[in-house]
Amino acid sequence: MDTFTYDLVVTNGICVTAVDVASYDIAIKDEKIVLLAPSGSLATANAKRIIDAEGGYVTPGGVDCHVHLQEPAMFGKGTSSDTYETGTRSAIAGGCTTIIGFAPQQRSEPSLLRALAETHERARDNSYCDYGFHLLMGNPSEQALAELVSLRDEEGVTSLKIYMTYAALQLRDDQILSVLLKARREHILTMIHAENGDILNWLTDQLEARDLVAPKYHSHSRPPVLEAEATNRAIALSSLIANTPILLVHVSDPGATLRIRQAQTNGQPIYAETCPQYLFLTRDDLDKPGFEGAKCVCSPPPRDKESQEVIWTGLRNGTFAVLSSDHCPFNYDDAESGKKTCITHEHPVGQFRHIPNGIPGIETRLPLVFSSRRLPLTKFVEVSSTNPAKLYGLYPRKGSLIAGVSDADIVIWYPESKRPNIVLTNEMLHHATDYTPYEGREICNWPRYTILRGRVVWDRDNGGVLGDKTFGEFLRRGTSSLNQLWETVDEQGEFDVANL
Ligand SMILES: *[C@@H]1O[C@H](CO)[C@@H](O)[C@H](O)[C@H]1NC(C)=O
């Protein structure tokens, strides 16, 4: 017989949410936070277990809203080096308790529901953390658009992602308009990868004609203006469809950022995401000797120091609503399915056109940004947990510490007195990828404990990963609640072509 009042108590922590920093104790029962109480008052509570945070910060579990795992190869030879199992194991070790992955619909597949069912197969009983899916739409067929209602009402999927680049996925402007119109009617949030695919193909041909194919030319093939142009176009298309809300994913460029800011100032429902690679890497990282630069090849490419500063400012001042990892891992030293698939006898440093695009980062996202001390802690929680939960319909179950309401997803950081000084190495990490782009960086704090629905799944000093791959649950998501998104949008009325 269970005679404990609580399953778990976290005492003596400094709790940080998106709105405040305050010392209080947290009591957990049946996977939920059930009570917040004065600091130290639960130190002797009748609980199965009591964790003394020793004055360390306590934050809601991280929500990583942009994660690619175990997706079928869509862009050429590379295949993801992480499965749901290894990617989510890495997530919890880095303080992340919820991810939203992608259910990819291939261009040859008319149905979104089928793409979703296949993705469920890969993730079921194979995830250490809770997870949801965005539909990655490769084919906006009539059938696909008609399925949005069932996706929302029956499947708990309320967002989709479209691309303005990549041969296998690039949509034309008229296709984008059809998606936006339907998404607006059904209250589905559209995420857009904004890079001009036609320009980048043309530039790639130009570079290859001059035999400029080393990894660093990836950056030359995607200069900032190509992101700024596509971002501007996405915003224009959204405005045409009576201000359909859109979220611009992984923004790296100041020009794109400025355009987003202007649209927000004008009252358009334009949201934006950025990622650690645009805060901590630059194009110089692509210019390492030999093929080494391929480790940092992702799209858009990392920019320069000045751009990093603009992105930090945008994170602090609300231009960016969310900070995700865009974890999209490929092994480096792997000629079968990793970065080195593009190395041939003829091209000993590969051909940037064929380097699988993407980098790992699911585990390092929170520690890197937390230890940088460049965001107020409340802002750190807001962009890495609370806003992702609100934007994608998971709030307040996820992204907060509300008694009686929130899941007991909690990260406990080291107190100042026990702060570890960590030099990041790939061996420390829990993904199945053979490198981290952040090798050698100094990090001054790390999640000491990660708690998922009341269970300690990561204890850095005593056992490391304690969770298991059947504990993560699929999350059915509601519609976006950030800024009462749909209420505000609906006030502007339906799209009517006669009113343009
Ligand atoms: C917010 O940050 C963006 C991006 O750095 C910048 O363009 C904008 O001027 C900033 N706005 C304010 C009000 O500080």
Side-chain angles (χ1 to χ4, degrees):
M1 251 270 291
D2 180 359
T3 54
F4 294 106
T5 316
Y6 306 117
D7 297 331
L8 178 65
V9 156
V10 177
T11 183
N12 202 12
I14 306 171
C15 301
V16 186
T17 65
V19 287
D20 56 17
V21 181
S23 296
Y24 48 83
D25 289 359
I26 299 174
I28 294 158
K29 175 91 180 157
D30 296 335
E31 306 197 349
K32 291 279 182 191
I33 292 175
V34 290
L35 177 74
L36 306 180
S39 189
S41 66
L42 298 179
T44 56
N46 177 26
K48 244 181 256 175
R49 179 171 180 192
I50 296 178
I51 295 181
D52 186 350
E54 300 183 297
Y57 288 114
V58 173
T59 55
V63 178
D64 194 341
C65 55
H66 190 147
V67 172
H68 298 272
L69 294 173
Q70 218 174 332
E71 291 174 15
M74 293 178 91
F75 313 105
K77 281 200 229 148
T79 49
S80 168
S81 48
D82 276 308
T83 57
Y84 270 86
E85 175 180 351
T86 65
T88 56
R89 182 179 70 198
S90 191
I92 57 171
C96 172
T97 49
T98 296
I99 60 156
I100 311 181
F102 291 93
Q105 176 209 27
Q106 309 265 6
R107 183 141 292 175
S108 56
E109 168 62 76
S111 165
L112 297 175
L113 290 170
R114 238 185 333 256
L116 179 64
E118 286 166 11
T119 305
H120 269 295
E121 287 306 311
R122 291 193 282 271
R124 189 175 297 120
D125 291 332
N126 207 21
S127 183
Y128 282 84
C129 66
D130 285 355
Y131 60 95
F133 300 124
H134 307 289
L135 233 306
L136 193 163
M137 197 184 234
N139 178 5
S141 65
E142 262 183 51
Q143 179 182 351
L145 294 177
E147 287 171 347
L148 290 186
V149 180
S150 339
L151 275 182
R152 183 196 61 205
D153 295 346
E154 280 143 47
E155 306 291 339
V157 172
T158 53
S159 48
L160 56 86
K161 182 180 177 201
I162 56 175
Y163 288 78
M164 299 170 87
T165 182
Y166 293 127
L169 292 165
Q170 182 174 342
L171 302 189
R172 295 189 315 265
D173 291 354
D174 57 344
Q175 293 175 302
I176 296 175
L177 288 169
S178 298
V179 173
L180 293 181
L181 178 59
K182 186 69 181 166
R184 189 180 196 282
R185 294 209 166 127
E186 305 306 343
H187 293 184
I188 298 280
L189 184 65
T190 307
M191 309 158 76
I192 303 187
H193 177 139
E195 285 187 295
N196 185 315
D198 293 353
I199 300 182
L200 93 82
N201 290 338
W202 187 83
L203 290 176
T204 300
D205 291 341
Q206 297 283 316
L207 287 158
E208 286 186 346
R210 297 180 54 192
D211 208 22
L212 304 175
V213 297
K216 72 169 179 178
Y217 294 107
H218 172 72
S219 159
H220 296 68
S221 75
R222 309 172 106 101
V225 66
L226 189 141
E227 183 184 343
E229 185 281 326
T231 301
N232 186 57
R233 185 152 40 98
I235 292 170
L237 297 176
S238 144
S239 74
L240 204 60
I241 306 294
N243 285 335
T244 311
I246 55 173
L247 174 115
L248 294 146
V249 291
H250 48 51
V251 174
S252 71
D253 164 52
T257 308
L258 182 62
R259 188 63 196 90
I260 289 164
R261 186 73 192 184
Q262 285 168 343
Q264 291 168 341
T265 306
N266 290 338
Q268 277 187 258
I270 305 297
Y271 296 88
E273 168 194 273
T274 191
C275 316
Q277 44 272 41
Y278 308 117
L279 301 170
F280 298 102
L281 301 177
T282 66
R283 60 187 293 171
D284 293 341
D285 291 300
L286 272 64
D287 192 13
K288 300 239 171 86
F291 188 59
E292 200 63 24
K295 288 182 177 174
C296 296
V297 165
C298 57
S299 295
R303 308 294 185 184
D304 55 14
K305 279 272 167 219
E306 294 71 45
S307 304
Q308 288 183 349
E309 290 310 310
V310 172
I311 303 297
W312 278 113
T313 307
L315 262 179
R316 275 192 297 269
N317 77 18
T319 305
F320 296 105
V322 295
L323 174 86
S324 74
S325 69
D326 191 8
H327 182 80
C328 184
F330 299 95
N331 279 325
Y332 173 68
D333 198 11
D334 178 346
E336 294 299 311
S337 56
K339 296 276 188 185
K340 289 192 175 167
T341 46
C342 70
I343 293 186
T344 57
H345 187 64
E346 197 188 343
H347 295 290
V349 287
Q351 273 184 294
F352 74 82
R353 183 202 286 270
H354 299 298
I355 300 177
N357 266 224
I359 62 173
I362 200 167
E363 187 169 345
T364 46
R365 177 182 73 121
L366 299 173
L368 275 172
V369 178
F370 185 96
S371 353
S372 73
R373 300 169 194 264
R374 295 204 56 181
L375 292 181
L377 284 177
T378 48
K379 187 48 105 173
F380 165 75
V381 170
E382 183 184 339
V383 297
S384 66
S385 173
T386 312
N387 275 351
K390 289 180 178 173
L391 192 63
Y392 296 113
L394 291 169
Y395 190 84
R397 176 171 173 196
K398 304 296 188 187
S400 197
L401 301 173
I402 303 175
V405 176
S406 299
D407 279 357
D409 296 351
I410 295 172
V411 177
I412 305 176
W413 301 79
Y414 286 90
E416 276 300 300
S417 60
K418 300 204 167 165
R419 225 163 31 81
N421 271 319
I422 296 174
V423 177
L424 198 61
T425 61
N426 195 53
E427 286 79 74
M428 287 175 46
L429 302 179
H430 299 77
H431 57 191
T433 307
D434 64 359
Y435 78 98
T436 166
Y438 307 107
E439 186 80 24
R441 304 244 166 186
E442 289 186 22
I443 297 218
C444 66
N445 211 321
W446 196 274
R448 188 181 188 183
Y449 301 92
T450 305
I451 298 166
L452 170 60
R453 286 183 277 108
R455 172 166 168 194
V456 177
V457 291
W458 164 251
D459 178 345
R460 189 164 173 273
D461 299 320
N462 296 292
V465 172
L466 303 177
D468 67 68
K469 66 171 186 166
T470 57
F471 190 60
E473 280 180 3
F474 172 68
L475 299 166
R476 304 174 63 83
R477 299 183 288 116
T479 55
S480 181
S481 68
L482 187 64
N483 302 345
Q484 289 144 351
L485 188 60
W486 296 106
E487 285 89 327
T488 356
V489 168
D490 286 345
E491 278 165 21
Q492 308 190 22
E494 265 278 292
F495 165 77
D496 181 355
V497 71
N499 285 338
L500 294 181

